[in-house]
Amino acid sequence: MILDLDIGNTLSKWRLKDPVSSEIRSRGAVWTREEWRPGADIPDLEVIQRVRISSVAQNEVLQETVALLKKRIPSIYVARPSVEALGVTCGYDTPAKLGVDRWLGVLSGYQLTGGCCVVDCGSAITIDFVLPGGQHLGGYIIPGLRLMKETLKLGTRRVSIDPDAAVDELHSPGRNTVDAVNHGVFMAAISAIQRIYCDVCDKESVALPLMLTGGDARVVSTALGVPHALWPDMVYGGLEALFPMTNAERAGRLSGAPALPDTPSIERIRAGLAFSTLL
């Protein structure tokens, strides 16, 4: 089996992939920590031959994880940002300072679309652009939904936004403090994503497919006016593209990749942008 690990600052996700059929056999998540226990925190190492890792946690956590896995697994691959990979040139002045989760999202998005905007809706909302031809422009980081709520100090952080709520309801003024915060945070995120997307497409004179990933992607998706696709496994897709281990991966078929979204014309993007600046 292939073990894919996506180690975050708070939560670490894992999945097991069949190296022959390329099917996902199981998946799970645990709290990130500095000490890991085989069988409790991660799957049985006896069935694993190779490991691919993406980590944005502290370096000590990554080192501890790799040290544990090396006791039984000889082939361990750790993703790191680089100046160039898979036809994509990193837009950061110092590529090593780009979060590897963002880098993997850009790589997987580019493999699927040939140029796109990747929005990762996690603790922070990150928005990255890669142009046709592979130039990564860099990106934007804004507070995520939960982080924005936490900064208000109103005790609403643990009251999540219902992804099945009617869009009209989320657009309406809240009639209690929890709803007022949830609706305000939701509108702030939607507005920022749409404005950034339109501004960059206008500046670069290109209409790019928009890809959403991350824990709050489904919530954001409900009201985003720009056509888009949801891809929960974008980080895993980047690991597959960077370290292909199955026939499907080597052929460029990435797990869970969605159909390409419709992309608005650059004329339509500019018309919407021009209208919004008049308000």
Side-chain angles (χ1 to χ4, degrees):
M1 287 290 181
I2 300 166
L3 172 63
D4 290 323
L5 280 176
D6 178 10
I7 304 174
N9 287 308
T10 304
L11 195 67
S12 294
K13 295 176 287 185
W14 60 266
R15 71 176 189 181
L16 284 181
K17 187 172 189 179
D18 191 302
V20 178
S21 68
S22 210
E23 293 179 2
I24 307 303
R25 296 300 187 185
S26 61
R27 61 173 72 223
V30 296
W31 298 115
T32 299
R33 65 201 71 190
E34 292 186 8
E35 292 187 15
W36 299 80
R37 300 183 303 277
D41 295 333
I42 56 179
D44 183 3
L45 300 184
E46 297 294 337
V47 302
I48 298 168
Q49 292 85 40
R50 286 165 286 181
V51 181
R52 299 179 288 206
I53 300 175
S54 164
S55 176
V56 297
Q58 294 182 358
N59 194 49
E60 293 78 7
V61 175
L62 175 60
Q63 290 177 345
E64 173 66 28
T65 304
V66 171
L68 170 65
L69 294 170
K70 277 187 174 179
K71 293 177 181 178
R72 299 191 183 179
I73 302 166
S75 300
I76 299 173
Y77 303 84
V78 179
R80 291 183 172 86
S82 57
V83 173
E84 188 278 337
L86 303 177
V88 177
T89 302
C90 183
Y92 259 35
D93 296 331
T94 307
K97 293 186 177 180
L98 175 67
V100 70
D101 52 344
R102 291 172 60 193
W103 182 235
L104 291 172
V106 165
L107 292 180
S108 56
Y110 184 72
Q111 302 313 300
L112 183 68
T113 66
C116 62
C117 171
V118 179
V119 180
D120 190 333
C121 306
S123 300
I125 295 174
T126 62
I127 307 171
D128 281 272
F129 293 84
V130 57
L131 298 177
Q135 179 59 56
H136 171 232
L137 298 178
Y140 302 80
I141 302 175
I142 61 176
L145 302 181
R146 290 170 178 79
L147 187 56
M148 278 194 270
K149 287 195 286 184
E150 185 179 12
T151 62
L152 293 174
K153 306 296 183 184
L154 294 176
T156 59
R157 183 189 183 201
R158 296 186 180 276
V159 183
S160 61
I161 300 172
D162 182 2
D164 297 317
V167 173
D168 289 346
E169 176 185 331
L170 291 169
H171 279 235
S172 302
R175 301 183 66 179
N176 57 65
T177 300
V178 169
D179 284 350
V181 170
N182 280 346
H183 296 189
V185 163
F186 178 77
M187 290 297 295
I190 296 296
S191 300
I193 292 168
Q194 293 187 156
R195 181 56 186 264
I196 289 170
Y197 171 82
C198 292
D199 276 348
V200 173
C201 286
D202 176 43
K203 181 179 179 181
E204 299 297 331
S205 298
V206 61
L208 296 169
L210 179 59
M211 313 295 295
L212 287 186
T213 192
D216 285 326
R218 185 168 166 240
V219 174
V220 170
S221 174
T222 59
L224 203 59
V226 181
H228 57 276
L230 283 169
W231 191 357
D233 280 357
M234 277 196 92
V235 169
Y236 290 144
L239 286 174
E240 292 176 340
L242 200 57
F243 308 117
M245 295 180 180
T246 71
N247 288 336
E249 292 170 0
R250 286 187 280 270
R253 298 193 298 273
L254 307 180
S255 297
L260 292 181
D262 294 330
T263 304
S265 67
I266 189 63
E267 292 77 18
R268 182 180 172 189
I269 291 173
R270 284 172 170 162
L273 187 60
F275 177 75
S276 69
T277 59
L278 294 175
L279 300 178

